[in-house]
Amino acid sequence: FYATVLNDWGTSYWCARELGERARCLVDLGHHAPNTNIEMIVARLIQFGKLGGFHFNDSKYGDDDLDSGSIHPFQLFLVFNELVAAEREDGAFSPAFMLDQSHNVTDPLESLLASAIEVQRAYVQALLVEREALAHYQERNDVLMALETLKQAFRTDVSPILAMARAREGGAIEPVAAYRSSGYRARKAKERPAVAGARSGIV
């Protein structure tokens, strides 16, 4: 619904290539037309050595900046499938991961916690993909079995793994519940009262 200088991933890649070796592309999951194959864009930018990082969020109609994984969790998993594959080939592969969200109806900190969990979930699920089986089916153009291999990992409930990892690091097993019970929001609301007449930065 709007025009922009970098209107597609090809333009972004071309600009990054022209700017030099240090320039990279940022993939914002909200800045794509509906039904765009974002995981393919990620694969291509990895192939060209121009993937710089991500703004993780989700989108229904446009640049909605919704919580990560709230609309397209399978697509988020497929993006991480490409990232895990690239990391296995190149141990130095290290794009920047950022959350870029607009919290209009939710507590911003709760949404950020929930999104961080979903990004971690997609990463762990991608680690479970049977790479040899996937490569076998891809080489034979067996799309159905390649997809089934991916779905097996995606359908795996990794919540216990995430909870154990958080507990091992001294974190909360249920981060949102821990945040709510801490009373942090109420304390900060007293310290930082709302300013009358304040406006959103987005017009």
Side-chain angles (χ1 to χ4, degrees):
F1 299 151
Y2 57 88
T4 180
V5 175
L6 301 178
N7 56 307
D8 56 38
W9 77 271
T11 304
S12 178
Y13 165 70
W14 183 82
C15 289
R17 187 187 65 180
E18 292 298 307
L19 286 169
E21 185 61 30
R22 294 175 58 191
R24 296 286 186 274
C25 298
L26 176 76
V27 176
D28 187 323
L29 273 69
H31 282 272
H32 299 273
N35 303 315
T36 298
N37 190 339
I38 299 175
E39 59 272 23
M40 185 210 70
I41 294 171
V42 171
R44 290 290 178 264
L45 290 175
I46 291 172
Q47 176 186 0
F48 300 149
K50 284 296 186 180
L51 179 63
F54 290 88
H55 277 182
F56 286 113
N57 51 46
D58 218 329
S59 173
K60 179 69 173 177
Y61 301 108
D63 187 20
D64 302 335
D65 283 350
L66 304 176
D67 293 4
S68 298
S70 60
I71 304 295
H72 303 292
F74 187 56
Q75 184 175 63
L76 182 62
F77 160 77
L78 292 175
V79 167
F80 270 96
N81 176 62
E82 297 300 331
L83 295 175
V84 168
E87 189 177 39
R88 286 167 60 91
E89 292 185 11
D90 179 5
F93 178 71
S94 182
F97 292 169
M98 295 166 276
L99 296 176
D100 173 28
Q101 299 174 184
S102 179
H103 311 107
N104 296 313
V105 295
T106 61
D107 181 305
L109 287 178
E110 290 185 5
S111 277
L112 290 172
L113 287 169
S115 291
I117 292 170
E118 292 309 308
V119 169
Q120 292 170 340
R121 184 187 313 280
Y123 176 57
V124 173
Q125 288 172 325
L127 290 172
L128 298 179
V129 172
E130 295 185 27
R131 297 286 155 189
E132 291 184 7
L134 180 60
H136 171 83
Y137 295 127
Q138 288 173 327
E139 286 294 325
R140 287 156 181 76
N141 291 319
D142 192 338
V143 177
L144 181 66
M145 291 307 298
L147 179 60
E148 186 59 29
T149 302
L150 291 169
K151 283 185 174 180
Q152 285 177 359
F154 176 70
R155 288 192 293 251
T156 302
D157 182 8
V158 298
S159 297
I161 298 173
L162 296 174
M164 285 178 17
R166 286 192 290 269
R168 186 175 61 240
E169 296 298 320
I173 293 176
E174 294 289 346
V176 174
Y179 165 72
R180 288 186 171 188
S181 65
S182 71
Y184 179 87
R185 182 179 178 83
R187 290 197 308 274
K188 291 303 173 183
K190 291 180 180 178
E191 294 175 14
R192 307 170 189 166
V195 177
R199 297 188 307 169
S200 169
I202 301 175
V203 178

